[in-house]
Amino acid sequence: MSRRYVTLDVFTDRALSGNPLAVVLEPEGLDGNQMQAIAREFNLSETVFVLPPSGEESRAKLRIFTINHELPFAGHPTVGAAVLLATLDKVTTSTDFVLEENVGPVPCHVTVKGERFGSATFAVPRLPEIVDPAPVSVEACAQALGLDVWDIGFDGYVPVVASAGVPFMCIPLASRSALARISPSAGRLIGTFGGSADSVYVFCRDEDGEGDFRARMFAANMGIDEDPATGSAAASLAAVLMAGEKPGDGFHAFDILQGVEMGRPSLVHLGLEVTGGALAGVTIGGSAIILSEGVIHI
């Protein structure tokens, strides 16, 4: 059977940058093992399969796979799939729809900016929270990342595990220099953080003012040496920023640059809605560009 697929670069407005994504259309009849094998064949950080929705109120159901396992939720597959579906629907301006993911329904707003280009913003279906405020010591974080102890932390931020459906070990770094000097090994990362979170998300303030923060993400347990852009990690970071930035009531926007050190610069838009001093909503947004199309014969 012939099944269409499309590849996109996500969290970027330029081809061959951002985070690559494969979207498999018409995957009916494939079981989870076959989807996992296809994701392994693409060998990207994530591959998404677009299935018919379970109800009329949704546009589609998504199943998202890394090369090793299925995820309940992920940011760049949501943004990329939303932009692709809007272009397939021949939207010329903007549209709103809901995507079903294993974590729950995900409302999306999509703006189409050309035949192969657009942007999407979605509401994170599960409010992020800090699930472990003191998972490992600063010394252990420094050793795992190949850094010095004084490279860890800034403005009162300390390493924590945060999650919006997928847990991340969030480690603050004192400078962009420290961010660039990271030299992790899979063994060190798994040995240090394997019991806390599958993925390590490091972040620092952007001293150059191109964004608000810079970040890198490593997921040795998932077979990802480094990810160019990670929307689910940015969603988890919202809980960390609530504690560290202490934003007042209203909407607060943060731009996060990631993937620069990999030569795949990406820009993730993170939005926090604060009500009564508490986090009431989180949005993730970014651009995506369609790169190629093909057919899988399975």
Side-chain angles (χ1 to χ4, degrees), residues 15 32 41 43-44 47 50 62 85 99 125 170 174 190 195 207 227:
E41 181 76 12
N43 198 33
L44 299 175
T47 297
V50 179
L62 304 185
L85 289 171
L99 296 176
C170 298
I190 294 172
E207 300 153 1
D227 198 32

Side-chain angles (χ1 to χ4, degrees), residues 212-225:
D212 298 290
F213 295 93
R214 294 218 179 198
R216 299 176 72 177
M217 198 284 279
F218 308 93
N221 279 353
M222 294 193 290
I224 301 171
D225 291 334

Side-chain angles (χ1 to χ4, degrees), residues 150-272:
W150 50 83
D151 288 321
I152 309 297
F154 65 89
D155 298 345
Y157 283 99
V158 296
V160 299
V161 175
S163 176
V166 178
F168 289 88
M169 179 74 205
C170 298
I171 303 177
L173 298 183
S175 65
R176 275 191 60 196
S177 170
L179 192 75
R181 285 187 283 108
I182 292 172
S183 57
S185 72
R188 285 206 311 264
L189 292 178
I190 294 172
T192 304
F193 307 118
S196 303
D198 286 337
S199 306
V200 179
Y201 188 65
V202 294
F203 66 99
C204 67
R205 294 202 188 277
D206 188 359
E207 300 153 1
D208 292 339
E210 295 181 56
D212 298 290
F213 295 93
R214 294 218 179 198
R216 299 176 72 177
M217 198 284 279
F218 308 93
N221 279 353
M222 294 193 290
I224 301 171
D225 291 334
E226 184 170 356
D227 198 32
T230 320
S232 53
S236 298
L237 185 67
V240 182
L241 297 182
M242 275 297 296
E245 303 296 295
K246 298 179 173 58
D249 285 4
F251 182 78
H252 302 268
F254 300 93
D255 283 343
I256 303 172
L257 290 170
Q258 189 179 336
V260 175
E261 291 77 12
M262 300 176 64
R264 305 274 316 188
S266 309
L267 181 62
V268 180
H269 303 301
L270 170 64
L272 278 63

Side-chain angles (χ1 to χ4, degrees), residues 114-129:
E115 185 179 352
R116 306 176 70 84
F117 176 58
S119 62
T121 300
F122 66 87
V124 175
R126 183 183 300 175
L127 283 180
E129 59 180 339

